[in-house]
Amino acid sequence: MTNNTHPKQSNFWRRIPLWQKILAGLALGILAGALLGEDATVFKPIGDIFISAIKMLIVPLVFTTLVVGITSMRDPQKMGRIGARTIGLYLITTAFAIAIGLLASTLFQPGVGLEMSFDKPVEAKEAPTLVEILVGLVPQNPVDALANGNIMQIIVFAIGLGIALTLIGDKGEPVVRVFESFAQAMYKLTEIVMAFAPFGVFGLIATVSGSYGMEVLLPLAKVIGVAYLASLVHVLVVYSGLLAFLGRLNPMRYLRGILDALVVAYSSASSSGTLPVSLRCAQKNLGVSEGVSGFVLPVGATINMDGTAIYQGVVVLFIAQLVGVDLSLMDYGMIIATGTLASIGTAGVPGAGLIMLSIVLAQVGLPLEAIAVVAGIDRILDMARTSVNVAGDLMVTTLVGKSEGELDLNIYNAIDEASNTSLK
Ligand code: ASP
């Protein structure tokens, strides 16, 4: 081997845009899992290292981005407006999501004609009350919140600190500069970790695709298909529609700009874990400001779970069909109301939606034991719902950014060039 083959190889690797490498990792991972079966778990450590590396970014990245975002906004009223719009849009899209899930299951009837037995007892979870959610928002000890990665409490502290730094003016300048510099370093570190994403995604997907045999998937293929279809419709119709009509933005640019985040969400099944990637997509590919993305995305990763809401709608009806129970109009209203609350209470970690399903089932009197039927395929459903969860956060971030004049249209409309910049 001569000395100059090395630089050439690395140039070739660098010239391929990151999103293409990540997609290739996804495709090769599925293939490796299909060919190797259970043996594909040898690649699991690669995926685990990648997930740990992005999780490592979450707390410092969210904290510094948000403090910098608030201090650069210099307008407390604007903060209130952004907060109200964010929560409003999150709630509306979630209600739409459950409705679409219910509609899809009503149309395609995935549970009709299936014979499944289940007898393992399951305990119902309680939905958190609004008061509990509010009380839990304020950290008693910010260091504790940072150490435990409690995103909502970190957001509250960062907003407080940002406002205080703005209010003390010049005296706050040195601290603001430290945060700005820290935030820049965190963006760089995110890029470095993302350069590893194609391998990480490969490791994660190979493991999942290797451990699910057809004998598990086939009997439930219909409910998987309905959940995936409803998810696709939600993203393509509701999100694209809102972007086009409310934001007057080209939805294709949005879809193209969020690709990295979608693939990482799909392979990791964790919207909190995907947060660093979502922040990067929002700022670099879509052109949303640090202030808006630093607030809207972490809030979304904690409370906005449209994919989980769709899943609740689809699966609750699926179970009703399976056990032959006819639901009344009241029940449907109940499912939409509790499903929305349950999705807010769902943590952005793998498998959380499955646990929250018990709340909705209990509410309409369906047997909780039926959860066992979908538990076997939960990862497959989780990957789809997490992708929608992340897509929803990014859609709302884009809309709020646009409405506040915090969306750089030059970046938004030039996504092809922007997302081609891999690690420099
Ligand atoms: N895994 C999902 C997420 O991280 C939550 C869920 O299980 O529904 O967004």
Side-chain angles (χ1 to χ4, degrees):
M1 194 195 282
T2 58
N3 270 348
N4 54 9
T5 43
H6 228 78
K8 262 199 202 136
Q9 279 172 348
S10 89
N11 264 345
F12 169 72
W13 181 250
R14 277 186 178 206
R15 268 207 309 274
I16 309 173
L18 182 64
W19 67 270
Q20 288 179 10
K21 290 186 276 198
I22 295 180
L23 276 186
L26 184 79
L28 289 175
I30 295 174
L31 194 69
L35 292 177
L36 299 176
E38 291 281 345
D39 291 341
T41 42
V42 291
F43 299 118
K44 189 168 182 290
I46 307 177
D48 290 345
I49 292 175
F50 174 61
I51 288 297
S52 297
I54 36 177
K55 281 191 180 159
M56 161 185 91
L57 304 168
I58 300 173
V59 170
L61 182 66
V62 168
F63 187 45
T64 53
T65 306
L66 196 49
V67 172
V68 171
I70 306 277
T71 53
S72 62
M73 236 181 263
R74 295 178 193 288
D75 180 358
Q77 265 185 359
K78 186 167 174 168
M79 221 28 247
R81 220 173 34 230
I82 291 177
R85 283 191 183 151
T86 302
I87 306 289
L89 280 169
Y90 278 158
L91 285 178
I92 294 171
T93 50
T94 303
F96 258 114
I98 304 204
I100 288 182
L102 288 173
L103 189 72
S105 257
T106 309
L107 282 179
F108 296 103
Q109 312 254 317
V112 172
L114 261 190
E115 291 277 334
M116 297 246 162
S117 62
F118 35 83
D119 41 30
K120 265 215 327 261
V122 178
E123 289 267 316
K125 279 255 159 198
E126 293 267 325
T129 67
L130 210 58
V131 176
E132 275 167 6
I133 294 176
L134 285 178
V135 170
L137 284 182
V138 184
Q140 293 185 359
N141 175 350
V143 179
D144 194 50
L146 290 166
N148 288 316
N150 186 325
I151 297 290
M152 288 310 274
Q153 293 189 346
I154 295 173
I155 293 171
V156 170
F157 180 62
I159 292 177
L161 185 62
I163 292 175
L165 285 170
T166 311
L167 290 177
I168 59 174
D170 284 350
K171 285 198 198 116
E173 204 48 41
V175 176
V176 173
R177 292 239 302 279
V178 169
F179 271 97
E180 277 168 0
S181 160
F182 200 163
Q184 286 303 325
M186 289 313 300
Y187 295 144
K188 199 58 182 181
L189 193 52
T190 308
E191 267 183 45
I192 295 171
V193 171
M194 281 305 287
F196 185 66
F199 306 101
V201 164
F202 169 82
L204 290 167
I205 281 293
T207 314
V208 174
S209 111
S211 45
Y212 279 90
M214 278 303 153
E215 66 283 1
V216 187
L217 298 181
L218 270 188
L220 295 165
K222 202 164 174 194
V223 71
I224 298 175
V226 172
Y228 271 63
L229 181 73
S231 302
L232 207 64
V233 167
H234 188 66
V235 174
L236 294 182
V237 178
V238 178
Y239 293 166
S240 298
L242 286 173
L243 281 170
F245 292 111
L246 279 185
R248 306 247 154 255
L249 292 164
N250 179 349
M252 292 312 286
R253 302 270 178 198
Y254 150 82
L255 291 171
R256 174 72 181 71
I258 67 169
L259 215 79
D260 295 356
L262 282 187
V263 178
V264 172
Y266 190 75
S267 46
S268 70
S270 168
S271 43
S272 292
T274 310
L275 194 49
V277 190
S278 312
L279 277 165
R280 185 171 182 270
C281 285
Q283 294 166 5
K284 271 195 106 164
N285 299 351
L286 301 174
V288 185
S289 71
E290 284 175 7
V292 168
S293 59
F295 171 74
V296 182
L297 284 175
V299 169
T302 333
I303 66 164
N304 184 50
M305 306 273 169
D306 290 0
T308 305
I310 293 173
Y311 156 86
Q312 311 252 10
V314 169
V315 172
V316 169
L317 268 202
F318 164 73
I319 290 175
Q321 291 159 5
L322 200 64
V323 295
V325 169
D326 271 334
L327 296 173
S328 67
L329 212 58
M330 259 296 275
D331 289 331
Y332 280 87
M334 205 61 139
I335 295 172
I336 293 184
T338 34
T340 304
L341 268 185
S343 77
I344 293 174
T346 305
V349 296
L354 179 74
I355 298 167
M356 299 308 267
L357 188 62
S358 65
I359 297 176
V360 190
L361 287 179
Q363 201 55 241
V364 286
L366 286 168
L368 302 185
E369 297 73 39
I371 289 179
V373 175
V374 279
I377 50 155
D378 189 56
R379 183 68 180 205
I380 307 292
L381 297 172
D382 199 359
M383 297 196 299
R385 56 185 196 249
T386 308
S387 308
V388 180
N389 290 346
V390 166
D393 300 343
L394 281 158
M395 192 282 293
V396 171
T397 306
T398 310
L399 269 190
V400 173
K402 175 80 192 316
S403 72
E404 287 294 329
E406 303 257 349
L407 180 78
D408 185 337
L409 285 174
N410 288 328
I411 298 181
Y412 186 88
N413 289 323
I415 266 167
D416 285 329
E417 291 125 61
S419 53
N420 274 0
T421 48
S422 60
L423 186 65
K424 289 254 166 64

